Amino acid sequence: CTRSGSARGLARACCVLADELIGARTCYCLPWSHWAAVYGRIGFVQVQPADVPKFLQARRAEYRERGGIVTRVTASHGRAASP
């Protein structure tokens, strides 16, 4: 399985799981920078940090303080897109 093929397979599995578990609710994600494009393909969009719950703002700051390369918080509204 190629590296990009693995990412597509993971994205498809995430779509199925998201549809079953999250449904039409808003779901937030703190993706590592190298995964941002994958999350974008399944319906996540970048949002301003001030627009997310305070506990996620704090978690993002903590990850970054420990050297994590986390992109801006992303959110998916409604059903996940199919990659």
Side-chain angles (χ1 to χ4, degrees):
C1 193
T2 66
R3 194 171 183 166
S4 63
S6 296
R8 276 193 297 275
L10 179 60
R12 283 188 198 98
C14 287
C15 285
V16 170
L17 184 60
D19 278 347
E20 293 174 4
L21 299 176
I22 299 165
R25 294 176 291 177
T26 299
C27 177
Y28 294 98
C29 177
L30 295 170
W32 295 105
S33 295
H34 59 279
W35 281 97
V38 173
Y39 283 101
R41 285 194 287 277
I42 61 172
F44 283 84
V45 295
Q46 290 191 357
V47 295
Q48 295 298 319
D51 294 337
V52 301
K54 297 286 185 202
F55 79 93
L56 286 177
Q57 293 176 27
R59 186 175 301 161
R60 179 179 182 262
E62 179 185 326
Y63 289 165
R64 293 179 71 97
E65 286 173 7
R66 290 189 288 163
I69 304 170
V70 179
T71 63
R72 195 178 278 180
V73 177
T74 58
S76 176
H77 304 283
R79 295 274 178 195
S82 180

